[in-house]
Amino acid sequence: MSDRFLVTGGVRLAGEVSVGGAKNSVLKLMAAALLAEGTTVLTNAPEIADVPLMADVLRGLGAVVATEGDTVTITAPAEPKFHADFDAVRQFRASVCVLGPLMARCRRAVVALPGGDAIGSRPLDMHQSGLRALGAHSSIEHGCVVAEADALIGAPIALEFPSVGATENILMAAVLAEGETTIDNAAREPEIVDLCEMLQQMGAQIDGAGTSTLTVRGVERLHPTTHRVVGDRIVGATWGIAAAMTRGDVTVHGVRPEHLQLVLNKLVDTGARVDTFSDGFRVRHDSRPTAVNVSTLPFPGFPTDLQPMAIGLAAIAEGMSVITENVFEARFRFVEEMVRLGADARTDGHHAVIRGVERLSSAPVWCSDIRAGAGLVLAGLVADGVTEVHDVEHIDRGYPHFVEILRDLGAQIERVGG
């Protein structure tokens, strides 16, 4: 049996927390280090379980990787291996982001289809079609993405959906392709901008970061660099929502508030007082939150990664909320666990209707993914009694020092072995 958290409800969170680098950025930056022979250094890396997993993937491709605190040092070889096998990539989805760098450096790649969170299908069609547009042959064979090309040639590419993963892989392949590549309907997330900034430091020529059109002019080679990982907006917002749910007062440092503008506006709509400053924000709430509706969308919309926390907030808010999931079809699996905690919630396709109750009730619940796990812990903070949250290794993959931070904010939570 895996570890579990015991969460005692009824405590108001208060204090300050510093947020480290973004999970959704650091893993892609680690893959990008393969693009240049030599040693690249990433600082402000989060101390989460997925970082050593990605380090193992890179080691399997011939890189030397060392981690110390919040610093990751990656030495990429002159000739990387091109086969990322199943044992290395099966544990987490982000491992597929080595596909673009391997095509750029080796002109061929064999990457086992990855595992990861149970939040719905995330097919690699757009990744493959983007590589094909650059001149590669790509197919799924024996459980692997297999791609190869005599040469990569820049091309206009239009994505059907602003997929973060597809944008990243196509971008990383295009930086060493011949000629110019345009990616229309590209993802605009801050983590994409972070990747573009690191690639530019390595010598890549990229215009349009943060917009829906990226223009890449390929160069012959890149060089290693040192880069600071952007702050984790999802972790930061989790603590802000926790403050609103527990009628608390939490100040978050290390996150750019402009990366969370819509989320912070939603907290204001619940009745919270929100103050922002250059590298963070403060959320205060002293009464029962007011219900608000939320629809998840790609950036700058409400992040799908915060949908479980939005449902937790809606579960104890005054009034009825409608939460619409537009990104991952299976993310509402989490609602079944919220119902176990006494939430009045119903799902219908892409919508969840939640009628807030004054207080939830403790029960044993199970995490299905990183964000669902965090959402269940937040729900446990506003439930009567002690809530047991199982399969918490999911939370370890996205939240560094999760229990310690909550304790510092006043929560009663402990980790016990299975």
PDB file of all heavy atoms in Angstrom, residues 27 71 94 111 132 157 166 221 293 310:
ATOM      1  N   LEU A  27      10.560  20.189 -16.647  1.00  0.00           N
ATOM      2  CA  LEU A  27      10.764  18.924 -17.350  1.00  0.00           C
ATOM      3  C   LEU A  27      11.053  19.162 -18.821  1.00  0.00           C
ATOM      4  O   LEU A  27      11.869  18.466 -19.440  1.00  0.00           O
ATOM      5  CB  LEU A  27       9.545  18.028 -17.177  1.00  0.00           C
ATOM      6  CG  LEU A  27       9.145  17.746 -15.719  1.00  0.00           C
ATOM      7  CD1 LEU A  27       7.877  16.913 -15.674  1.00  0.00           C
ATOM      8  CD2 LEU A  27      10.266  17.050 -14.959  1.00  0.00           C
ATOM      9  N   THR A  71      18.937  23.009  -8.017  1.00  0.00           N
ATOM     10  CA  THR A  71      19.778  23.147  -9.209  1.00  0.00           C
ATOM     11  C   THR A  71      19.907  21.799  -9.918  1.00  0.00           C
ATOM     12  O   THR A  71      20.201  20.777  -9.291  1.00  0.00           O
ATOM     13  CB  THR A  71      21.178  23.669  -8.836  1.00  0.00           C
ATOM     14  OG1 THR A  71      21.052  24.948  -8.212  1.00  0.00           O
ATOM     15  CG2 THR A  71      22.042  23.808 -10.088  1.00  0.00           C
ATOM     16  N   ALA A  94       5.240  13.790 -19.329  1.00  0.00           N
ATOM     17  CA  ALA A  94       6.144  14.803 -19.876  1.00  0.00           C
ATOM     18  C   ALA A  94       7.356  14.200 -20.567  1.00  0.00           C
ATOM     19  O   ALA A  94       8.059  14.897 -21.302  1.00  0.00           O
ATOM     20  CB  ALA A  94       6.597  15.753 -18.765  1.00  0.00           C
ATOM     21  N   VAL A 111      10.550   6.795 -29.082  1.00  0.00           N
ATOM     22  CA  VAL A 111      10.131   7.173 -27.732  1.00  0.00           C
ATOM     23  C   VAL A 111       8.907   6.347 -27.360  1.00  0.00           C
ATOM     24  O   VAL A 111       7.863   6.444 -28.018  1.00  0.00           O
ATOM     25  CB  VAL A 111       9.800   8.680 -27.648  1.00  0.00           C
ATOM     26  CG1 VAL A 111       9.378   9.049 -26.230  1.00  0.00           C
ATOM     27  CG2 VAL A 111      11.009   9.513 -28.079  1.00  0.00           C
ATOM     28  N   ARG A 132       5.987  15.644 -39.280  1.00  0.00           N
ATOM     29  CA  ARG A 132       5.844  15.294 -40.694  1.00  0.00           C
ATOM     30  C   ARG A 132       5.920  16.547 -41.569  1.00  0.00           C
ATOM     31  O   ARG A 132       6.498  16.524 -42.662  1.00  0.00           O
ATOM     32  CB  ARG A 132       4.530  14.566 -40.914  1.00  0.00           C
ATOM     33  CG  ARG A 132       4.483  13.165 -40.317  1.00  0.00           C
ATOM     34  CD  ARG A 132       3.166  12.479 -40.607  1.00  0.00           C
ATOM     35  NE  ARG A 132       3.044  11.211 -39.882  1.00  0.00           N
ATOM     36  CZ  ARG A 132       2.048  10.913 -39.068  1.00  0.00           C
ATOM     37  NH1 ARG A 132       1.067  11.789 -38.874  1.00  0.00           N
ATOM     38  NH2 ARG A 132       2.014   9.752 -38.446  1.00  0.00           N
ATOM     39  N   ILE A 157       3.034  25.465 -40.001  1.00  0.00           N
ATOM     40  CA  ILE A 157       2.317  24.424 -39.270  1.00  0.00           C
ATOM     41  C   ILE A 157       1.162  25.081 -38.518  1.00  0.00           C
ATOM     42  O   ILE A 157       1.381  26.060 -37.793  1.00  0.00           O
ATOM     43  CB  ILE A 157       3.243  23.692 -38.285  1.00  0.00           C
ATOM     44  CG1 ILE A 157       4.379  22.987 -39.038  1.00  0.00           C
ATOM     45  CG2 ILE A 157       2.458  22.699 -37.435  1.00  0.00           C
ATOM     46  CD1 ILE A 157       5.464  22.436 -38.138  1.00  0.00           C
ATOM     47  N   ALA A 166       2.458  19.564 -28.007  1.00  0.00           N
ATOM     48  CA  ALA A 166       2.769  19.605 -29.433  1.00  0.00           C
ATOM     49  C   ALA A 166       3.552  20.864 -29.773  1.00  0.00           C
ATOM     50  O   ALA A 166       4.513  20.822 -30.560  1.00  0.00           O
ATOM     51  CB  ALA A 166       1.481  19.531 -30.253  1.00  0.00           C
ATOM     52  N   ARG A 221      23.566  25.302 -34.903  1.00  0.00           N
ATOM     53  CA  ARG A 221      23.819  24.678 -33.605  1.00  0.00           C
ATOM     54  C   ARG A 221      23.439  25.632 -32.485  1.00  0.00           C
ATOM     55  O   ARG A 221      23.372  26.847 -32.675  1.00  0.00           O
ATOM     56  CB  ARG A 221      25.291  24.273 -33.482  1.00  0.00           C
ATOM     57  CG  ARG A 221      26.274  25.424 -33.505  1.00  0.00           C
ATOM     58  CD  ARG A 221      27.700  24.935 -33.339  1.00  0.00           C
ATOM     59  NE  ARG A 221      28.056  23.936 -34.325  1.00  0.00           N
ATOM     60  CZ  ARG A 221      28.488  24.224 -35.550  1.00  0.00           C
ATOM     61  NH1 ARG A 221      28.600  25.499 -35.933  1.00  0.00           N
ATOM     62  NH2 ARG A 221      28.804  23.278 -36.407  1.00  0.00           N
ATOM     63  N   ASN A 293     -18.888  30.532 -11.321  1.00  0.00           N
ATOM     64  CA  ASN A 293     -18.772  29.571 -12.408  1.00  0.00           C
ATOM     65  C   ASN A 293     -17.364  29.624 -12.989  1.00  0.00           C
ATOM     66  O   ASN A 293     -16.746  30.687 -13.046  1.00  0.00           O
ATOM     67  CB  ASN A 293     -19.797  29.859 -13.500  1.00  0.00           C
ATOM     68  CG  ASN A 293     -21.222  29.719 -13.016  1.00  0.00           C
ATOM     69  OD1 ASN A 293     -21.504  28.933 -12.098  1.00  0.00           O
ATOM     70  ND2 ASN A 293     -22.132  30.473 -13.606  1.00  0.00           N
ATOM     71  N   ALA A 310     -10.953  24.303  -7.950  1.00  0.00           N
ATOM     72  CA  ALA A 310     -12.169  25.091  -8.158  1.00  0.00           C
ATOM     73  C   ALA A 310     -13.397  24.318  -7.691  1.00  0.00           C
ATOM     74  O   ALA A 310     -14.330  24.894  -7.109  1.00  0.00           O
ATOM     75  CB  ALA A 310     -12.297  25.467  -9.634  1.00  0.00           C
TER      76      ALA A 310
END
